[in-house]
Each structure stands twice: as C-alpha cells, then as structure tokens.
C-alpha cells in the first residue's frame, strides 16, 4: 500500500493533483500496521493540507453541459474530501487519522517515538479541536508501555479521567505493561552498573562512624527502583477488581501483571496471580506460562521452574483441547534459570529436550548453555566446546530419551537417538565466551583456534580484547613465541600491536617477554 501511495504521489504531482482523504487514510492505516512513524506523520501532514485546498478542488467550469448537473453535484459531494459513510466532507485530519498516526508512533521500533505520539495527542485537541477518545489515549499509552515510561502512562490515565474519557481493559493492561517494562529496564540498568563497578573496581559503599562498611542505602535505592513500578501495577489491578471500577481484568491484564511481578522479582506474587486468574474462571495461556517462567528465571529458582512445567502438564491432562507445549521462550527462560542456579547439567538437558520437541534454539539460548559450563570454580570447557559443535552442526542431535521436563538427573553420555534438521549460526558473543574462558583457564591454543574460526568461518573480526587475553594466556604458560606469532597475525585484522593505544599492561608484558627471548635467539645466531 505504501509503495503504491508513494508512486501515486509522484504521478499526481506531475498532473497537479493531490491524494484524497480516503487514500491518505488508507496509507495511514498501512503505516499504523507497520509501525512507520515518519511516514505516518508525513501522510498526516498531507491531510492537513486538504483544508486549505478543498475550496478550490471542485470547479464548476469543469462541467460544460447542463445535462451533467446531477453528475456534477454527486462529484462535488464525494470528490475525495470525505470518508465513506461520513456526513460531511473530510477537510483535514479527523479523529481516525490521528488515532492511526499515534498508533504508528507507538508501534515504531525507533527509540523515543512514543513522544511523537503524545505530541500528536496534544495537537489534535489544540490545533484541530478534536477530542481524543479512548482509542487515541490507549495508543499513546501503548507507546509508553514499550518504552517503560510508566509514570507518563499513569499521567495519561489520569488525564483520561479528568477529561471524562472512560479507560477500557486494553488501557489498563497497557499501563500495567508499562510498569513491567520499567522494572525490567531498571534491573538491566542496575546490572550494567554493577558490571562496570566490577570491571573498574569502583567501591560504591561507604563507612559509618565506627568504620563499618555500609551498602544498605545503595541496595535500598536499587530495589526501590525495581519494586516501585511493580507496586503501581498491582495497585491498578486491585482497583480494576474493586467495586469502584467498571472494567474487569481479562487474561491480557493478568498476563501483564504476572510479567510485572516477574520483572519486579516477586516470584510468589506471580504464582499467586496465576492461581487468582484460574479462580476467576480464566484459563492460562502460553503467554501466562512464559511470564511465569520469566519470574523463575529472574530469581534463579529451579524448583519453581520445574513447577511451571508441571502446571502445564496438569492443564493438558485436565482439558480435552489441543495440548499446550512449552515454546522457545519458556525453554529459554528455564535454561537461563538453571545457569543462574549454577546447574549446567540441567541447562544442557533442557537444551536437548527443546530440540527433541522440534523447537529451534537461537544463538542466545546456546550461549546461555555454553556460559553455564564456563562459569564457576570447576568449569567444564570440553562440554562447552561440544555444545558449540552441536550449534554448528547441520543436524542437531536431540538426545533425551526421557519424556519428563521436570529436571531429572542428566547424563552427558546419553546417545543422540533422533535428529532434527536445524542450523544456528554462532554470533560474536558465542566466540567471546569461549575465547575468554579458554584463555582464562590457560588453554590459549584452543582459544587461538576459535579466533581463526571466528574470522574465517563466521566472518567476525575479533576485538583487541580477545587477542589480548589469548596473548596473555600464552605469556602465563611461558610460550612467548606463540604470543608473538598471534600478535603478528593481528595485522590481518588491521591491528598494530606496536601502537601504544592498543596495548594494555598485560599486552605490553607479553611483548616485553617476547623481545627478551628474541634478543637471546639473536645473540646465539650471531655467535
């Protein structure tokens, strides 16, 4: 539709014509479906020009014969200025056009486009005297939900009530979803800050008057940043269930609230909400169980994750409808849960179960299982390499002979007895995990092998840090010549190890050792 609209605009420009209101609305609808914010705003601007050009669009001089008066009258009433079934000509954007444009901004994948949707919401009332309805407000709130701007979503909800626009169940669900995303983003932000502190050894704690280390305030602020959106979400849900509300929460509302509990790290609350929705006569969906498994993953509770699988089996046994099977999201969250619980065997078992069930693990899922085997005091690097080989194979073997998904003890010696045609290409993170782990455990030859695989087989240029840790591993093993050879190979990727800006302290130490050994060889050769 948009390609045809663009072509039509070019043709009409040459003929000194313009697209009518019905066609522009169709283009706006296409933008809304695709989440094309810029294009939606463009077509909305074209609609604004209809008001200035509508008076000259129908000229009586175009009709030369009196016998065509009836046709002329019909043409004037329908000539592109009104929507089908409308009572008056469409001279400029109407409520429908603005709703579509706001929704297009809300659905856009570009960061911050929800702001354009709110701007359009304000503009339609201020500039065109159009009253935003529940659909327009809900579209703007949906944009806030994807961005995690729960406070703005709450403000819009309050504005609706002040303007006597009654929110519906979709509106409330979107606000609760905004709270869930806000908690998720807060947790990610805190995790990134903690990782930076670990990297640069920044001590954010402080000592009290007695010299005792105190980190309570920092922990409280972090937890509050995650918990506050969750509290708002639960308050909204509680209001919807009260006698003061005319809106009853549905399964979408409960799914959003369960996700809020998951991101707010309230595992007990998530399970309680599932029990509550069942008591209300609602049936859990695959989205429900996905959010519930996410709640297990956030706190690393393997026992709770096992309970999710059990609940799914119980629901399948009680219903005659088609069985609900765990999908990639549920398996991925369960695998990540096992990794957080330091149970790599179970993570690998779930990966095999996932493949046997005909699902397709993505690179992130494989990376999680690989990472689970490289962490801890006794990493199983051989098993991590085996998982990499499974990832690279054209036919991944699906191994588990057991039909249970409740985490039975696993055995890595289980024979692969079925095959599923599937291929998952390792990404940069896959190689980062393996190379860093092998180098840290003084296996630089294998780390260098993966450096070559990374370049030659999958087309990734290794970062300087990967070269650095591998060279450092050679230096620690007392293999300076191999370190020198690897540093020379860096030139193929455009790195110059003689550049001081590229080298860190470990790198310089390796170079120094190589130079000392090299001078010794040179002296022997001269003698």
């Amino acid at each position: 539709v948009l390609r045809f609209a663009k072509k039509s605009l070019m043709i009409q420009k040459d003929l000194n014509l313009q697209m009518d209101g019905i066609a522009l609305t169709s283009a706006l609808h296409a933008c809304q479906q695709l989440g094309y914010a810029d294009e939606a705003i463009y077509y909305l601007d074209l609609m604004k020009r209809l008001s200035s050009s509508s008076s000259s669009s129908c000229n009586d001089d175009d009709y030369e014969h009196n016998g065509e008066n009836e046709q002329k009258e019909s043409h004037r009433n329908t000539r592109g200025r009104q929507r089908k079934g409308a009572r008056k000509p469409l001279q400029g954007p109407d409520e429908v056009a603005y709703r579509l444009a706001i929704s297009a901004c809300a659905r856009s994948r570009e960061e911050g486009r929800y702001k354009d949707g709110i701007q359009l919401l304000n503009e339609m009332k201020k500039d065109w005297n159009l009253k935003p309805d529940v659909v327009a407000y809900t579209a703007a709130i949906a944009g806030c939900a994807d961005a995690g701007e729960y406070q703005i979503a709450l403000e819009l909800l309050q504005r609706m009530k002040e303007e006597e626009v009654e929110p519906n169940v979709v509106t409330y669900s979107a606000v609760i979803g905004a709270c869930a995303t806000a908690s998720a983003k807060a947790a990610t932000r805190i995790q990134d800050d903690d990782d930076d502190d670990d990297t640069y050894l920044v001590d954010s704690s402080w000592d009290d008057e007695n010299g005792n280390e105190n980190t309570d305030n920092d922990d409280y602020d972090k937890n509050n940043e995650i918990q506050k959106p969750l509290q708002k979400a639960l308050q909204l849900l509680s209001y919807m269930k009260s006698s003061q509300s005319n809106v009853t929460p549905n399964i979408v509302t409960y799914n959003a609230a369960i996700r809020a509990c998951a991101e707010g790290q309230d595992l007990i609350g998530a399970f309680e909400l599932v029990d509550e929705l069942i008591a209300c006569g609602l049936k859990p969906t695959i989205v429900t169980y996905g959010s519930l498994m996410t709640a297990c993953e956030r706190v690393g509770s393997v026992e709770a994750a096992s309970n999710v699988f059990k609940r799914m089996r119980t629901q399948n046994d009680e219903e005659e409808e088609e069985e609900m099977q765990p999908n990639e999201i549920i398996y991925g969250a369960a695998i990540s849960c096992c990794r957080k619980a330091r149970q790599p065997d179970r993570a690998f078992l779930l990966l095999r179960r996932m493949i046997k069930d005909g699902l397709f693990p993505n690179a992130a899922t494989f990376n999680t299982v690989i990472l689970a085997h490289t962490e801890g005091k006794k990493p199983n690097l051989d098993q991590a390499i085996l998982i990499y080989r499974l990832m690279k194979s054209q036919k991944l073997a699906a191994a588990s002979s057991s039909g249970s998904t409740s985490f039975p003890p696993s055995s890595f010696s289980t024979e692969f007895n079925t095959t599923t045609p599937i291929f998952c290409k390792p990404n940069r993170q896959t190689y980062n995990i393996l190379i860093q782990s092998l180098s840290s455990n003084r296996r630089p030859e294998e780390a260098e092998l993966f450096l070559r695989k990374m370049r030659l087989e999958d087309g990734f240029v290794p970062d300087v840090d990967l070269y650095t840790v591998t060279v450092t591993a050679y230096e620690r093993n007392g293999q300076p010549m191999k370190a020198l050879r690897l540093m020379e190979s860096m030139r193929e990727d455009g790195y110059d190890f003689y550049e001081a800006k590229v080298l860190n302290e470990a790198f310089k130490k390796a170079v120094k050792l190589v130079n000392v050994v090299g001078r010794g060889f040179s002296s022997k050769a001269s003698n």
Side-chain angles (χ1 to χ4, degrees):
V1 171
L2 291 182
R3 282 196 299 268
F4 187 79
K6 185 177 180 180
K7 185 177 180 180
S8 298
L9 285 173
M10 296 174 62
I11 296 174
Q12 292 180 67
K13 184 177 181 180
D14 294 338
L15 298 176
N16 197 24
L17 300 173
Q18 68 177 138
M19 193 178 294
D20 61 32
I22 299 175
L24 289 172
T25 302
S26 298
L28 277 170
H29 191 274
C31 294
Q32 182 258 355
Q33 291 291 309
L34 296 170
Y36 286 1
D38 289 329
E39 290 83 350
I41 294 174
Y42 170 72
Y43 287 112
L44 186 65
D45 287 338
L46 289 182
M47 293 192 75
K48 296 174 184 177
R49 301 175 192 175
L50 293 178
S51 60
S52 60
S53 60
S54 59
S55 60
S56 60
S57 61
C58 297
N59 192 337
D60 288 344
D61 295 338
D62 294 339
Y63 304 93
E64 299 178 357
H65 304 288
N66 294 332
E68 294 179 358
N69 286 341
E70 184 177 350
Q71 180 182 359
K72 179 180 67 174
E73 184 65 25
S74 175
H75 193 70
R76 182 184 293 114
N77 290 337
T78 60
R79 189 177 180 179
R81 304 299 176 224
Q82 68 179 29
R83 196 179 318 283
K84 184 177 180 181
R87 294 183 179 179
K88 60 182 180 179
L90 183 61
Q91 299 178 354
D94 61 354
E95 293 89 343
V96 175
Y98 268 102
R99 288 200 299 256
L100 292 172
I102 293 169
S103 182
C105 294
R107 293 186 175 195
S108 175
R109 295 183 180 181
E110 298 179 39
E111 186 176 355
R113 297 316 296 260
Y114 73 94
K115 298 178 183 177
D116 295 315
I118 296 175
Q119 183 177 346
L120 292 176
L121 187 72
N122 298 328
E123 176 189 294
M124 67 182 294
K125 182 178 181 180
K126 179 181 178 182
D127 297 346
W128 295 90
N129 197 28
L130 300 172
K131 183 180 179 181
D133 60 3
V134 62
V135 179
Y137 269 111
T138 301
I141 291 174
C144 298
D146 292 338
E149 296 291 344
Y150 79 102
Q151 292 177 326
I152 299 177
L154 289 170
E155 291 173 3
L156 290 174
L157 182 63
Q158 181 61 32
R159 229 170 87 179
M160 291 179 69
K161 296 179 179 179
E162 293 173 356
E163 296 180 4
E164 297 183 349
V165 179
E166 186 66 28
N168 58 25
V169 67
V170 181
T171 311
Y172 282 111
S173 300
V175 178
I176 294 174
C179 296
T181 305
S183 291
K185 290 196 171 188
T188 301
R189 191 163 52 249
I190 291 170
Q191 182 61 48
D192 291 342
D193 291 342
D194 290 343
D195 291 342
D196 290 341
D197 290 346
D198 292 340
T199 301
Y200 297 105
L201 301 179
V202 176
D203 187 3
S204 59
S205 62
W206 52 277
D207 295 341
D208 60 16
E209 296 178 354
N210 299 322
N212 298 319
E213 187 177 26
N214 192 326
T215 59
D216 291 343
N217 284 354
D218 288 341
D219 292 339
Y220 174 79
D221 291 339
K222 293 177 180 179
N223 290 332
N224 188 49
E225 190 176 354
I226 297 174
Q227 294 291 326
K228 191 174 181 180
L230 169 60
Q231 294 170 0
K232 292 293 184 182
L234 295 180
Q235 288 173 7
L236 273 178
L237 181 63
S238 178
Y239 170 77
M240 292 179 69
K241 295 183 293 183
S242 70
S243 59
Q244 299 176 347
S245 174
N246 297 325
V247 181
T248 302
N250 59 13
I251 188 61
V252 177
T253 312
Y254 272 104
N255 286 344
I258 294 168
R259 178 171 167 259
C261 288
E263 303 298 355
Q265 301 177 10
D266 183 4
L267 180 61
I268 296 176
F271 275 92
E272 288 178 348
L273 285 178
V274 175
D275 294 335
E276 182 180 303
L277 73 88
I278 295 174
C280 293
L282 300 173
K283 185 173 70 172
T285 64
I286 194 69
V287 177
T288 310
Y289 288 115
S291 298
L292 193 59
M293 186 63 80
T294 299
C296 304
E297 187 273 339
R298 293 295 186 261
V299 299
S301 175
V302 174
E303 181 180 357
S306 178
N307 190 9
V308 175
F309 284 118
K310 183 178 179 180
R311 282 171 175 257
M312 294 187 71
R313 290 198 304 273
T314 301
Q315 181 172 329
N316 289 335
D317 294 339
E318 293 175 351
E319 296 180 359
E320 297 180 357
E321 300 178 6
E322 184 178 356
E323 290 189 357
M324 184 187 304
Q325 299 297 333
N327 59 13
E328 286 88 349
I329 295 175
I330 293 177
Y331 269 116
I335 288 171
S336 180
C337 179
C338 294
R339 179 231 154 189
K340 285 188 175 181
R342 302 291 187 184
Q343 298 189 23
D345 290 8
R346 287 181 171 176
F348 186 51
L349 173 64
L350 280 174
L351 178 67
R352 298 186 305 189
R353 288 285 309 144
M354 183 179 182
I355 298 169
K356 183 180 179 181
D357 287 346
L359 300 176
F360 300 88
N362 59 18
T365 303
F366 274 105
N367 290 346
T368 301
V369 182
I370 292 173
L371 187 61
H373 287 84
T374 61
E375 295 175 325
K377 295 181 179 179
K378 296 181 179 180
N380 191 343
L381 299 184
D382 292 333
Q383 189 64 31
I385 294 173
L386 172 62
I387 297 166
Y388 166 83
R389 290 173 180 169
L390 289 175
M391 188 178 186
K392 290 279 288 186
S393 64
Q394 291 293 333
K395 286 193 175 182
L396 285 176
S400 177
S401 57
S402 171
S404 173
T405 53
S406 59
F407 304 116
S410 66
S411 173
F412 293 118
S413 61
T414 303
E415 293 295 331
F416 296 117
N417 49 30
T418 60
T419 58
T420 301
I422 179 175
F423 176 71
C424 182
K425 180 180 178 181
N427 59 17
R428 183 177 292 275
Q429 182 65 15
T430 310
Y431 287 105
N432 287 349
I433 295 170
L434 289 168
I435 294 169
Q436 293 274 3
S437 302
L438 290 167
S439 298
S440 299
N441 287 274
R442 296 196 173 188
R443 295 169 64 168
E445 290 89 353
E446 291 167 280
E448 185 177 354
L449 175 64
F450 280 104
L451 279 171
R452 289 198 297 270
K453 286 179 175 292
M454 182 179 186
R455 290 174 61 253
L456 301 177
E457 295 183 10
D458 290 307
F460 297 114
V461 177
D463 295 331
V464 174
D465 291 343
L466 295 182
Y467 281 109
T468 301
V469 294
T470 308
V471 168
T472 302
Y474 275 128
E475 179 267 327
R476 288 177 178 175
N477 285 358
Q479 299 172 295
M481 299 309 296
K482 290 185 177 181
L484 177 60
R485 186 191 68 242
L486 178 59
M487 287 188 287
E488 287 286 357
S489 70
M490 290 175 62
R491 298 181 186 275
E492 299 177 12
D493 293 324
Y495 299 124
D496 186 353
F497 64 84
Y498 291 111
E499 292 280 346
K501 294 181 180 180
V502 176
L503 304 176
N504 61 13
E505 291 303 320
F507 213 44
K508 292 177 181 178
K509 185 176 180 181
V511 173
K512 182 178 179 181
L513 179 60
V514 171
N515 288 337
V516 170
V517 175
R519 284 197 297 270
F521 286 150
S522 299
S523 299
K524 291 181 180 180
S526 300
N527 293 334

